[in-house]
Amino acid sequence: MTNLDQAASPRRLALPGRLSSAGQTYGALAALVLLVLYNALFTPNFLAAQTLNINLTQVATIVIVATGMTLVIATGGIDLSVGSLMAISGALAPIIFLGKLVPLSPLLGNTLAFVVPVLVAGLFGLFNGILVTTFRIQPIVATLVLFIAGRGIAQVVTNGNLQAFRNPGFQYIGLGRPFGIPFQAILMLLIVAIVAWVMRSSVFGRYILATGGNEAAARLAGVPVNRVKRLVYVISGLLAGLAGLIVIAINSSSDANLVGLNME
């Protein structure tokens, strides 16, 4: 090989590397742009405002749950319990604001119905995290516990009954349209933006990526691996609980058998 060939060889090798790196960084975005362009050209009424509203309302809960799941997967785990946690959250909220446990004023009932079910779902997420970190159970097995038992808990809480309701204050989370934009879509975008900022600009985001990239090396570097894992399962639980509230608000009813079914 001549000196010229030796000089050109690294350049030939560098180009595929750059393409691979660009593909990993922008591949998903490029696929999304192509998909939007294709539908804009060939799908009737795809760019209509009504179509956008429908798409936003259909994907909002999925994106909210997937955002939490992304953090879990980034640490090398998986959370199969998100659908069941949605069912638990959706079962608890009507019990609270309908005053089935304790009679409450509408304002207090709605406030607690937003806060308590989401916190309960977060506690169940912490339970998943403890199984994974303290007891060293594989995530797919650890979260399978609540995947099965969680929906049973929701059914026990509601005695297996459908809870129908009409509560405009509570249902605003699923049916509200400030400035003509679905409120659940605003929540979705806000959550995605916050999590994107956390992953790109915070120490906690770096800890998540370090844990998923090489857990042993991250631990040796001083990353609190177990704490990071527990926290991402808590976040996944909190977001699943929020998604459960949106679903029952849209449906004006809570069915423990159906809320969050197959969401995982």
CSV table of all heavy atoms in Angstrom, one decimal, residues 211-260:
chain,number,residue,atom,x,y,z
A,211,THR,N,-25.9,4.2,34.0
A,211,THR,CA,-26.4,2.9,34.6
A,211,THR,C,-26.7,1.9,33.5
A,211,THR,O,-26.4,0.7,33.6
A,211,THR,CB,-27.6,3.2,35.5
A,211,THR,OG1,-27.2,4.1,36.5
A,211,THR,CG2,-28.1,1.9,36.1
A,212,GLY,N,-27.4,2.4,32.5
A,212,GLY,CA,-27.8,1.5,31.4
A,212,GLY,C,-26.7,1.1,30.5
A,212,GLY,O,-26.6,0.0,29.9
A,213,GLY,N,-25.7,2.0,30.4
A,213,GLY,CA,-24.5,1.7,29.5
A,213,GLY,C,-23.6,0.6,30.1
A,213,GLY,O,-23.2,-0.3,29.4
A,214,ASN,N,-23.2,0.8,31.3
A,214,ASN,CA,-22.4,-0.2,32.0
A,214,ASN,C,-22.6,0.0,33.5
A,214,ASN,O,-22.0,0.9,34.1
A,214,ASN,CB,-20.9,0.1,31.6
A,214,ASN,CG,-20.0,-1.0,32.0
A,214,ASN,OD1,-20.2,-1.6,33.1
A,214,ASN,ND2,-19.0,-1.4,31.2
A,215,GLU,N,-23.4,-0.8,34.0
A,215,GLU,CA,-23.8,-0.7,35.4
A,215,GLU,C,-22.6,-0.8,36.4
A,215,GLU,O,-22.4,-0.1,37.3
A,215,GLU,CB,-24.9,-1.7,35.8
A,215,GLU,CG,-25.3,-1.6,37.2
A,215,GLU,CD,-26.5,-2.5,37.5
A,215,GLU,OE1,-27.2,-2.9,36.6
A,215,GLU,OE2,-26.7,-2.9,38.7
A,216,ALA,N,-21.7,-1.8,36.1
A,216,ALA,CA,-20.6,-2.1,36.9
A,216,ALA,C,-19.6,-0.9,36.9
A,216,ALA,O,-19.2,-0.4,38.0
A,216,ALA,CB,-19.8,-3.3,36.5
A,217,ALA,N,-19.4,-0.3,35.7
A,217,ALA,CA,-18.5,0.8,35.6
A,217,ALA,C,-19.1,2.1,36.3
A,217,ALA,O,-18.4,2.9,36.9
A,217,ALA,CB,-18.2,1.1,34.2
A,218,ALA,N,-20.4,2.2,36.1
A,218,ALA,CA,-21.1,3.4,36.7
A,218,ALA,C,-21.0,3.3,38.2
A,218,ALA,O,-20.8,4.3,38.9
A,218,ALA,CB,-22.6,3.4,36.3
A,219,ARG,N,-21.2,2.1,38.8
A,219,ARG,CA,-21.1,1.9,40.3
A,219,ARG,C,-19.7,2.3,40.8
A,219,ARG,O,-19.5,3.0,41.8
A,219,ARG,CB,-21.5,0.5,40.7
A,219,ARG,CG,-21.5,0.3,42.2
A,219,ARG,CD,-22.0,-1.1,42.5
A,219,ARG,NE,-23.4,-1.2,42.4
A,219,ARG,CZ,-24.1,-1.9,41.5
A,219,ARG,NH1,-23.4,-2.5,40.5
A,219,ARG,NH2,-25.4,-1.9,41.5
A,220,LEU,N,-18.7,1.8,40.0
A,220,LEU,CA,-17.3,2.1,40.4
A,220,LEU,C,-17.0,3.6,40.3
A,220,LEU,O,-16.1,4.1,41.0
A,220,LEU,CB,-16.3,1.3,39.5
A,220,LEU,CG,-16.3,-0.2,39.7
A,220,LEU,CD1,-15.4,-0.9,38.7
A,220,LEU,CD2,-15.8,-0.5,41.2
A,221,ALA,N,-17.7,4.3,39.4
A,221,ALA,CA,-17.5,5.7,39.2
A,221,ALA,C,-18.2,6.6,40.2
A,221,ALA,O,-18.2,7.8,40.1
A,221,ALA,CB,-17.9,6.1,37.8
A,222,GLY,N,-18.9,5.9,41.1
A,222,GLY,CA,-19.7,6.6,42.1
A,222,GLY,C,-21.1,7.0,41.8
A,222,GLY,O,-21.7,7.7,42.6
A,223,VAL,N,-21.6,6.4,40.8
A,223,VAL,CA,-23.1,6.6,40.4
A,223,VAL,C,-23.9,5.8,41.4
A,223,VAL,O,-23.7,4.6,41.6
A,223,VAL,CB,-23.4,6.2,39.0
A,223,VAL,CG1,-24.9,6.3,38.7
A,223,VAL,CG2,-22.6,7.1,38.0
A,224,PRO,N,-24.9,6.4,42.1
A,224,PRO,CA,-25.8,5.6,43.0
A,224,PRO,C,-26.8,4.8,42.2
A,224,PRO,O,-28.0,5.1,42.0
A,224,PRO,CB,-26.5,6.7,43.8
A,224,PRO,CG,-26.5,7.9,42.9
A,224,PRO,CD,-25.3,7.8,42.1
A,225,VAL,N,-26.3,3.7,41.6
A,225,VAL,CA,-27.0,2.9,40.7
A,225,VAL,C,-28.4,2.4,41.2
A,225,VAL,O,-29.4,2.6,40.5
A,225,VAL,CB,-26.2,1.7,40.2
A,225,VAL,CG1,-27.0,0.7,39.4
A,225,VAL,CG2,-25.0,2.1,39.4
A,226,ASN,N,-28.4,1.9,42.4
A,226,ASN,CA,-29.7,1.4,42.9
A,226,ASN,C,-30.7,2.5,43.1
A,226,ASN,O,-31.9,2.3,42.9
A,226,ASN,CB,-29.4,0.7,44.3
A,226,ASN,CG,-28.7,-0.7,44.1
A,226,ASN,OD1,-28.7,-1.2,43.0
A,226,ASN,ND2,-28.2,-1.2,45.2
A,227,ARG,N,-30.2,3.7,43.6
A,227,ARG,CA,-31.1,4.8,43.8
A,227,ARG,C,-31.7,5.3,42.5
A,227,ARG,O,-32.9,5.6,42.3
A,227,ARG,CB,-30.4,5.9,44.5
A,227,ARG,CG,-31.3,7.0,45.0
A,227,ARG,CD,-30.5,8.2,45.5
A,227,ARG,NE,-29.5,7.8,46.4
A,227,ARG,CZ,-28.4,8.6,46.7
A,227,ARG,NH1,-28.3,9.8,46.2
A,227,ARG,NH2,-27.5,8.1,47.6
A,228,VAL,N,-30.9,5.3,41.4
A,228,VAL,CA,-31.3,5.7,40.1
A,228,VAL,C,-32.4,4.8,39.6
A,228,VAL,O,-33.4,5.2,39.1
A,228,VAL,CB,-30.1,5.8,39.1
A,228,VAL,CG1,-30.6,5.9,37.7
A,228,VAL,CG2,-29.2,6.9,39.5
A,229,LYS,N,-32.1,3.5,39.7
A,229,LYS,CA,-33.1,2.5,39.2
A,229,LYS,C,-34.4,2.6,40.0
A,229,LYS,O,-35.5,2.6,39.4
A,229,LYS,CB,-32.5,1.1,39.4
A,229,LYS,CG,-31.5,0.7,38.4
A,229,LYS,CD,-31.1,-0.8,38.6
A,229,LYS,CE,-30.2,-1.2,37.5
A,229,LYS,NZ,-29.8,-2.7,37.6
A,230,ARG,N,-34.4,2.7,41.3
A,230,ARG,CA,-35.6,2.9,42.0
A,230,ARG,C,-36.4,4.1,41.6
A,230,ARG,O,-37.6,4.1,41.4
A,230,ARG,CB,-35.3,2.9,43.5
A,230,ARG,CG,-34.9,1.6,44.1
A,230,ARG,CD,-35.0,1.7,45.7
A,230,ARG,NE,-33.9,2.5,46.2
A,230,ARG,CZ,-32.7,2.1,46.6
A,230,ARG,NH1,-32.4,0.8,46.4
A,230,ARG,NH2,-31.9,2.9,47.1
A,231,LEU,N,-35.7,5.2,41.4
A,231,LEU,CA,-36.3,6.4,41.0
A,231,LEU,C,-37.0,6.4,39.6
A,231,LEU,O,-38.1,6.9,39.4
A,231,LEU,CB,-35.3,7.6,41.0
A,231,LEU,CG,-35.9,9.0,40.9
A,231,LEU,CD1,-37.0,9.2,41.9
A,231,LEU,CD2,-34.8,10.1,41.1
A,232,VAL,N,-36.3,5.7,38.7
A,232,VAL,CA,-37.0,5.6,37.3
A,232,VAL,C,-38.2,4.7,37.4
A,232,VAL,O,-39.2,5.0,36.6
A,232,VAL,CB,-36.0,5.1,36.3
A,232,VAL,CG1,-34.8,6.1,36.1
A,232,VAL,CG2,-35.4,3.7,36.6
A,233,TYR,N,-38.2,3.7,38.2
A,233,TYR,CA,-39.5,2.9,38.4
A,233,TYR,C,-40.6,3.7,39.0
A,233,TYR,O,-41.7,3.6,38.7
A,233,TYR,CB,-39.2,1.6,39.1
A,233,TYR,CG,-38.5,0.6,38.3
A,233,TYR,CD1,-37.2,0.3,38.4
A,233,TYR,CD2,-39.3,-0.2,37.4
A,233,TYR,CE1,-36.6,-0.7,37.6
A,233,TYR,CE2,-38.7,-1.2,36.6
A,233,TYR,CZ,-37.3,-1.4,36.7
A,233,TYR,OH,-36.8,-2.4,35.9
A,234,VAL,N,-40.2,4.6,40.0
A,234,VAL,CA,-41.2,5.5,40.6
A,234,VAL,C,-41.7,6.4,39.5
A,234,VAL,O,-43.0,6.6,39.5
A,234,VAL,CB,-40.5,6.3,41.7
A,234,VAL,CG1,-41.5,7.4,42.2
A,234,VAL,CG2,-40.2,5.4,42.9
A,235,ILE,N,-40.9,7.0,38.7
A,235,ILE,CA,-41.4,7.9,37.7
A,235,ILE,C,-42.3,7.2,36.7
A,235,ILE,O,-43.3,7.7,36.3
A,235,ILE,CB,-40.2,8.6,36.9
A,235,ILE,CG1,-39.4,9.4,37.9
A,235,ILE,CG2,-40.6,9.3,35.7
A,235,ILE,CD1,-38.1,10.0,37.3
A,236,SER,N,-41.9,6.0,36.3
A,236,SER,CA,-42.8,5.2,35.4
A,236,SER,C,-44.1,5.0,36.1
A,236,SER,O,-45.2,5.1,35.4
A,236,SER,CB,-42.1,3.9,35.1
A,236,SER,OG,-42.9,3.1,34.3
A,237,GLY,N,-44.1,4.7,37.4
A,237,GLY,CA,-45.4,4.5,38.1
A,237,GLY,C,-46.2,5.7,38.1
A,237,GLY,O,-47.5,5.7,37.9
A,238,LEU,N,-45.6,6.9,38.4
A,238,LEU,CA,-46.3,8.1,38.5
A,238,LEU,C,-47.0,8.5,37.2
A,238,LEU,O,-48.1,8.9,37.1
A,238,LEU,CB,-45.4,9.2,38.9
A,238,LEU,CG,-44.8,9.2,40.3
A,238,LEU,CD1,-43.7,10.3,40.5
A,238,LEU,CD2,-45.9,9.4,41.4
A,239,LEU,N,-46.2,8.3,36.1
A,239,LEU,CA,-46.8,8.6,34.8
A,239,LEU,C,-47.8,7.7,34.3
A,239,LEU,O,-48.8,8.1,33.7
A,239,LEU,CB,-45.6,8.7,33.7
A,239,LEU,CG,-44.6,9.8,33.9
A,239,LEU,CD1,-43.5,9.7,32.8
A,239,LEU,CD2,-45.3,11.1,33.9
A,240,ALA,N,-47.7,6.4,34.7
A,240,ALA,CA,-48.8,5.4,34.4
A,240,ALA,C,-50.0,5.8,35.2
A,240,ALA,O,-51.2,5.7,34.7
A,240,ALA,CB,-48.3,4.0,34.8
A,241,GLY,N,-49.9,6.2,36.4
A,241,GLY,CA,-51.0,6.7,37.2
A,241,GLY,C,-51.7,7.9,36.6
A,241,GLY,O,-53.0,7.9,36.5
A,242,LEU,N,-50.9,8.8,36.1
A,242,LEU,CA,-51.5,10.0,35.5
A,242,LEU,C,-52.3,9.6,34.2
A,242,LEU,O,-53.4,10.1,33.9
A,242,LEU,CB,-50.4,11.0,35.1
A,242,LEU,CG,-50.8,12.2,34.4
A,242,LEU,CD1,-51.8,13.1,35.2
A,242,LEU,CD2,-49.6,13.1,34.0
A,243,ALA,N,-51.7,8.7,33.4
A,243,ALA,CA,-52.4,8.2,32.2
A,243,ALA,C,-53.7,7.5,32.5
A,243,ALA,O,-54.7,7.7,31.8
A,243,ALA,CB,-51.4,7.3,31.4
A,244,GLY,N,-53.7,6.8,33.6
A,244,GLY,CA,-55.0,6.1,34.0
A,244,GLY,C,-56.1,7.1,34.3
A,244,GLY,O,-57.2,6.9,34.0
A,245,LEU,N,-55.7,8.3,35.0
A,245,LEU,CA,-56.7,9.3,35.2
A,245,LEU,C,-57.2,9.9,33.9
A,245,LEU,O,-58.4,10.2,33.8
A,245,LEU,CB,-56.1,10.4,36.1
A,245,LEU,CG,-55.6,10.0,37.5
A,245,LEU,CD1,-55.1,11.2,38.2
A,245,LEU,CD2,-56.6,9.3,38.3
A,246,ILE,N,-56.4,10.1,33.0
A,246,ILE,CA,-56.8,10.7,31.7
A,246,ILE,C,-57.8,9.7,31.0
A,246,ILE,O,-58.8,10.2,30.4
A,246,ILE,CB,-55.6,10.9,30.8
A,246,ILE,CG1,-54.7,12.0,31.4
A,246,ILE,CG2,-56.0,11.3,29.4
A,246,ILE,CD1,-53.4,12.3,30.6
A,247,VAL,N,-57.5,8.4,31.0
A,247,VAL,CA,-58.3,7.4,30.4
A,247,VAL,C,-59.7,7.5,31.0
A,247,VAL,O,-60.7,7.5,30.2
A,247,VAL,CB,-57.7,6.0,30.4
A,247,VAL,CG1,-58.7,5.0,30.0
A,247,VAL,CG2,-56.5,6.0,29.6
A,248,ILE,N,-59.8,7.4,32.3
A,248,ILE,CA,-61.2,7.4,32.9
A,248,ILE,C,-61.9,8.7,32.7
A,248,ILE,O,-63.1,8.7,32.6
A,248,ILE,CB,-61.1,7.0,34.4
A,248,ILE,CG1,-60.5,8.0,35.2
A,248,ILE,CG2,-60.5,5.6,34.5
A,248,ILE,CD1,-60.7,7.8,36.7
A,249,ALA,N,-61.2,9.8,32.7
A,249,ALA,CA,-61.8,11.1,32.4
A,249,ALA,C,-62.4,11.2,31.0
A,249,ALA,O,-63.5,11.7,30.9
A,249,ALA,CB,-60.8,12.2,32.6
A,250,ILE,N,-61.8,10.6,30.1
A,250,ILE,CA,-62.3,10.6,28.7
A,250,ILE,C,-63.5,9.7,28.6
A,250,ILE,O,-64.5,10.0,28.0
A,250,ILE,CB,-61.2,10.1,27.7
A,250,ILE,CG1,-60.1,11.1,27.6
A,250,ILE,CG2,-61.8,9.9,26.3
A,250,ILE,CD1,-58.9,10.6,26.9
A,251,ASN,N,-63.5,8.5,29.3
A,251,ASN,CA,-64.5,7.5,29.2
A,251,ASN,C,-65.7,7.8,30.1
A,251,ASN,O,-66.8,7.2,30.0
A,251,ASN,CB,-64.0,6.1,29.5
A,251,ASN,CG,-63.0,5.7,28.5
A,251,ASN,OD1,-63.0,6.1,27.3
A,251,ASN,ND2,-62.1,4.8,28.9
A,252,SER,N,-65.5,8.8,31.0
A,252,SER,CA,-66.6,9.0,32.1
A,252,SER,C,-66.9,7.8,32.9
A,252,SER,O,-68.0,7.7,33.4
A,252,SER,CB,-67.9,9.6,31.4
A,252,SER,OG,-67.6,10.8,30.7
A,253,SER,N,-66.0,6.9,33.0
A,253,SER,CA,-66.2,5.7,33.7
A,253,SER,C,-64.9,5.0,34.0
A,253,SER,O,-63.9,5.3,33.3
A,253,SER,CB,-67.1,4.7,33.0
A,253,SER,OG,-66.5,4.3,31.8
A,254,SER,N,-64.9,4.2,35.0
A,254,SER,CA,-63.7,3.4,35.4
A,254,SER,C,-64.0,1.9,35.4
A,254,SER,O,-64.8,1.5,36.1
A,254,SER,CB,-63.1,3.9,36.7
A,254,SER,OG,-62.1,3.1,37.1
A,255,ASP,N,-63.3,1.2,34.5
A,255,ASP,CA,-63.5,-0.3,34.4
A,255,ASP,C,-62.1,-0.9,34.7
A,255,ASP,O,-61.2,-0.8,33.9
A,255,ASP,CB,-64.0,-0.7,33.1
A,255,ASP,CG,-64.4,-2.2,33.0
A,255,ASP,OD1,-64.0,-2.9,33.9
A,255,ASP,OD2,-65.1,-2.6,32.1
A,256,ALA,N,-62.0,-1.5,35.9
A,256,ALA,CA,-60.7,-2.1,36.2
A,256,ALA,C,-60.2,-3.2,35.3
A,256,ALA,O,-59.0,-3.5,35.2
A,256,ALA,CB,-60.7,-2.6,37.7
A,257,ASN,N,-61.2,-3.8,34.5
A,257,ASN,CA,-60.8,-4.8,33.6
A,257,ASN,C,-60.2,-4.3,32.3
A,257,ASN,O,-59.5,-5.0,31.6
A,257,ASN,CB,-62.0,-5.7,33.2
A,257,ASN,CG,-62.6,-6.4,34.4
A,257,ASN,OD1,-61.9,-7.1,35.1
A,257,ASN,ND2,-63.9,-6.2,34.7
A,258,LEU,N,-60.5,-3.0,32.0
A,258,LEU,CA,-60.1,-2.5,30.7
A,258,LEU,C,-59.1,-1.3,30.7
A,258,LEU,O,-58.4,-1.2,29.7
A,258,LEU,CB,-61.4,-2.0,29.9
A,258,LEU,CG,-62.4,-3.1,29.6
A,258,LEU,CD1,-63.6,-2.5,28.9
A,258,LEU,CD2,-61.8,-4.2,28.7
A,259,VAL,N,-59.1,-0.5,31.8
A,259,VAL,CA,-58.2,0.6,31.8
A,259,VAL,C,-56.8,0.1,31.8
A,259,VAL,O,-56.3,-0.7,32.6
A,259,VAL,CB,-58.4,1.4,33.1
A,259,VAL,CG1,-57.4,2.5,33.2
A,259,VAL,CG2,-59.8,2.0,33.1
A,260,GLY,N,-56.0,0.6,30.8
A,260,GLY,CA,-54.6,0.2,30.7
A,260,GLY,C,-54.4,-1.1,30.1
A,260,GLY,O,-53.2,-1.6,30.1
